[in-house]
Amino acid sequence: MTDNPIVETLQAPSAVFFIFGATGDLASRKLFPAIYSLYREGKLAEDFAVIGVARRPRTNEEFRDNVHESIDEFCRYKIQPGEDWNKFAQHFEYKSLDINNVDGFRELREQTEGLEQKFSIPGNRLFFLALAPELFGSVSLNLREGGMMDGQGWNRLVIEKPFGYDLESARKLNTELAQVFAEDEIFRIDHYLGKEMVQNIEVIRFGNAFFEPLWNNQHIANVQITLSETVGVEERGGYYDHSGALRDMGQNHMLQMLAMIAMEPPSRLLPEDIHDEKVKVLRSLRPYLTAEEVDKNVVRAQYTAGSAKGKELPGYREEDKVDPESNTETYFSARVFVDNFRWAGVPFYIRTGKRLPVKTTEIIVEFKRTPTNVYLGQRHNLEPNLLVIRVNPMEGIYIKINAKKPGSDSEIQPLAMEFCQSCMIGINSPEAYERLLEDAAQGDSTYFTRWDEVAAAWSFIDHIDHAWKQHPSDVKSYPAGSWGPEETHQLLQQDGFHWWPVNGQDEDNVIWQANSR
Ligand code: BG6
């Protein structure tokens, strides 16, 4: 007997996967390709079934054609010419359903039982709601009322962000879900937790003797987390204008990455122990209680018209479905403190924005400088050591160190020791949704967010939002295609630091990387 509830099998247990919102973007871009990749890698039991649920009428054949198209376009595996497509496709069925009508759920139950019989599935049901969050509560209730939870196996609910709009609405949603599902049956997705390099943070920190002893305020000067995007709001203006960067990226992806960097080693590698450590970090975030504190530590901005790579780009207020007088932020940066013994006094700088010059997610840990009054430090302006974790789209790790310039007695140059995961031939990192679907089917909640984490993150974010609401028009601007407003640099300059260039950013970075080869 092991006390680890996660059964390390290669294949996920046999189950019916319900994709609510089966005709939507998420299903076709991410979910169907993820299911196919898991199938190709032998990680799905042969006896699985998928029921696509949406309002639109569609036959099973039409639905299977949609799945085929989505795999062709978005999957990292391609369907082979001689492959028996039907062997895979026969596991897929479609159900047209009005989610407010319980009778539809009763019909769905019959259809499910038919499939469970056909494929000998022991009643395990995974409900993935790729739907607007307002619908999560009523769909959950109707799942229960329609008898969908009465199978012989387990029931699990997988839901997308955003989980609420603020702490109050998140609480309300959680209460609704809790009427139907237990906490350990709810899998809240933060797709950043499904990314290989985010999962790697734990291993880098706790699996290497030369990081963990230095991982504290004695040796680390600051941590910088950048999540920059080149895209604007595309066709999501309606959603984004009510959300903004703080809610869309800050409350979830950025604070989750921060928690992974800052958490204490868990006592055991069980999901609950990891969640316990993360929630302690989130509860230790120093709240900014006054508008002055928020102004001092948080910068918000919105992009105006600009250009990138010779292409003219519209301003945010000109985007489709965006209020032409909108004050919604498309960029924010913040200085965040984790008020505990390990991190006292160490600033964590976080920034994210739309329409920035490059798409990249990077975590940079800047170590304290060596003493300047002894030996080399007296004669040279030594650069600090950096540990750079590249999350997305390049995956890898850099360590920046100082070394003697070859052939010179007195010159010291920074160089990078690099592990480029994306450059390795034969390594094809699974997409986040593959990991997450597989984990949910295995019942492993490690890389999902627990309710108390979500609540702690909202409580930190809500203070900022309240302060912003007092001065709604006090939002800075930056031209599309630039690195954000000037104030974001001042945030670090005030502390004697600067943003380190991220992958693809500028000349300096290129030279620094070239030095490493
Ligand atoms: C989503 C946000 O959660 O993450 C989007 O809602 C954002 O606005 C996206 O574009 C970024 O994810 P990734 O994996 O492309 O970096």
Side-chain angles (χ1 to χ4, degrees):
M1 265 295 274
T2 159
D3 65 346
N4 187 340
I6 303 160
V7 187
E8 280 286 341
T9 51
L10 280 177
Q11 282 194 336
S14 152
V16 182
F17 295 80
F18 297 84
I19 311 285
F20 284 79
T23 52
D25 217 36
L26 182 71
S28 81
R29 279 175 186 272
K30 301 288 182 190
L31 302 181
F32 301 143
I35 292 171
Y36 184 67
S37 297
L38 292 174
Y39 176 77
R40 278 287 290 271
E41 292 187 346
K43 291 177 177 165
L44 266 192
E46 272 297 329
D47 40 7
F48 75 99
V50 177
I51 304 187
V53 183
R55 182 188 276 269
R56 280 175 224 177
R58 204 156 276 189
T59 64
N60 285 342
E61 277 60 43
E62 284 166 342
F63 178 53
R64 288 169 191 160
D65 288 346
N66 297 153
V67 174
H68 194 298
E69 284 156 21
S70 107
I71 294 168
D72 275 345
E73 193 170 356
F74 299 113
C75 189
R76 65 193 176 97
Y77 288 108
K78 296 294 159 221
I79 299 160
Q80 305 299 312
E83 186 180 326
D84 184 357
W85 164 250
N86 281 333
K87 189 163 171 250
F88 175 72
Q90 61 163 339
H91 293 265
F92 286 71
E93 285 195 3
Y94 185 78
K95 171 73 186 152
S96 160
L97 181 80
D98 169 0
I99 50 174
N100 296 312
N101 176 5
V102 188
D103 287 339
F105 284 78
R106 297 200 179 103
E107 290 163 23
L108 182 61
R109 177 185 169 169
E110 274 174 34
Q111 188 174 350
T112 307
E113 287 168 352
L115 275 171
E116 285 173 343
Q117 237 174 13
K118 178 172 170 193
F119 292 109
S120 311
I121 299 172
N124 297 328
R125 298 174 184 175
L126 186 146
F127 307 105
F128 195 119
L129 306 193
L131 299 170
E134 307 81 83
L135 305 172
F136 293 168
S138 55
V139 170
S140 300
L141 282 175
N142 280 343
L143 282 171
R144 191 184 59 195
E145 298 309 305
M148 290 295 297
M149 315 270 301
D150 302 340
Q152 298 299 308
W154 46 253
N155 296 302
R156 291 184 189 138
L157 179 75
V158 184
I159 45 177
E160 275 293 321
K161 67 166 257 283
F163 196 88
Y165 176 81
D166 53 14
L167 181 56
E168 197 188 326
S169 55
R171 263 203 195 115
K172 186 165 167 276
L173 172 57
N174 205 50
T175 310
E176 281 172 11
L177 298 183
Q179 289 172 27
V180 181
F181 293 95
E183 175 64 25
D184 65 1
E185 294 175 323
I186 304 175
F187 291 72
R188 297 178 194 82
I189 287 201
D190 180 319
H191 79 280
Y192 261 69
L193 294 178
K195 291 193 192 276
E196 273 296 311
M197 292 308 294
V198 174
Q199 300 192 351
N200 213 345
I201 294 173
E202 236 181 326
V203 181
I204 294 166
R205 284 190 54 190
F206 305 130
N208 291 296
F210 49 65
F211 289 130
E212 196 49 29
L214 303 181
W215 212 258
N216 55 48
N217 59 2
Q218 299 296 306
H219 300 283
I220 290 179
N222 70 77
V223 177
Q224 305 182 7
I225 304 178
T226 299
L227 205 167
S228 68
E229 296 192 280
T230 49
V231 289
V233 290
E234 316 299 293
E235 64 293 337
R236 297 165 73 225
Y239 149 77
Y240 195 88
D241 209 29
H242 290 284
S243 161
L246 185 68
R247 286 193 174 80
D248 186 48
M249 300 290 228
Q251 188 270 345
N252 36 71
H253 310 324
M254 306 216 67
L255 290 185
Q256 282 292 327
M257 285 193 282
L258 187 151
M260 301 279 289
I261 290 286
M263 73 183 198
E264 294 297 317
S267 51
R268 295 171 304 172
L269 272 186
L270 297 183
E272 291 309 312
D273 300 290
I274 295 171
H275 292 302
D276 287 347
E277 295 307 335
K278 278 167 58 194
V279 82
K280 280 191 219 160
V281 173
L282 295 166
R283 286 185 186 145
S284 308
L285 296 177
R286 184 183 302 172
Y288 295 134
L289 299 174
T290 63
E292 289 70 37
E293 283 175 324
V294 170
D295 276 355
K296 195 169 150 222
N297 293 292
V298 191
V299 175
R300 63 176 151 157
Q302 187 187 77
Y303 64 82
T304 52
S307 65
K309 296 189 179 144
K311 202 174 142 213
E312 298 299 314
L313 299 169
Y316 175 70
R317 291 178 183 182
E318 288 127 55
E319 301 276 15
D320 194 25
K321 301 206 186 81
V322 167
D323 175 356
E325 289 177 19
S326 170
N327 290 315
T328 300
E329 79 290 350
T330 58
Y331 177 101
F332 88 92
S333 56
R335 173 176 31 221
V336 177
F337 289 99
V338 180
D339 282 340
N340 62 18
F341 273 90
R342 186 187 282 261
W343 295 111
V346 179
F348 286 72
Y349 302 107
I350 59 179
R351 61 174 168 172
T352 183
K354 301 271 184 205
R355 286 274 189 246
L356 301 185
V358 294
K359 162 82 180 161
T360 198
T361 304
E362 266 183 43
I363 302 169
I364 301 185
V365 179
E366 178 178 333
F367 289 85
K368 289 196 170 164
R369 290 170 190 266
T370 51
T372 50
N373 56 346
V374 291
Y375 190 52
L376 290 169
Q378 267 178 341
R379 285 190 282 134
H380 301 274
N381 185 14
L382 293 180
E383 296 259 318
N385 295 132
L386 303 181
L387 165 66
V388 181
I389 302 174
R390 289 196 165 154
V391 174
N392 188 24
M394 287 289 283
E395 293 177 350
I397 303 164
Y398 272 81
I399 298 171
K400 185 181 185 186
I401 61 171
N402 293 305
K404 191 171 94 54
K405 192 163 191 181
S408 141
D409 283 340
S410 56
E411 277 189 75
I412 291 185
Q413 64 180 4
L415 58 83
M417 290 164 50
E418 172 192 8
F419 163 63
C420 174
Q421 182 155 294
S422 318
C423 314
M424 288 176 70
I425 298 163
I427 296 278
N428 192 357
S429 289
E431 286 272 331
Y433 280 92
E434 291 171 37
R435 284 296 312 252
L436 295 174
L437 264 181
E438 189 190 354
D439 286 355
Q442 296 278 15
D444 179 353
S445 70
T446 308
Y447 295 111
F448 295 82
T449 50
R450 201 170 65 184
W451 162 242
D452 49 359
E453 291 172 56
V454 176
W458 273 127
S459 132
F460 176 76
I461 294 293
D462 276 0
H463 289 301
I464 300 176
D465 189 54
H466 290 160
W468 282 356
K469 285 211 167 99
Q470 290 170 32
H471 306 282
S473 59
D474 215 3
V475 54
K476 311 273 180 297
S477 63
Y478 62 102
S482 74
W483 272 105
E486 180 48 33
E487 287 77 1
T488 193
H489 300 290
Q490 289 160 11
L491 208 56
L492 280 76
Q493 278 159 12
Q494 289 158 4
D495 302 333
F497 301 125
H498 61 80
W499 288 107
W500 289 98
V502 290
N503 186 28
Q505 184 171 350
D506 67 15
E507 287 284 289
D508 282 355
N509 207 29
V510 175
I511 292 164
W512 174 49
Q513 287 169 35
N515 280 341
S516 71
R517 295 174 201 273

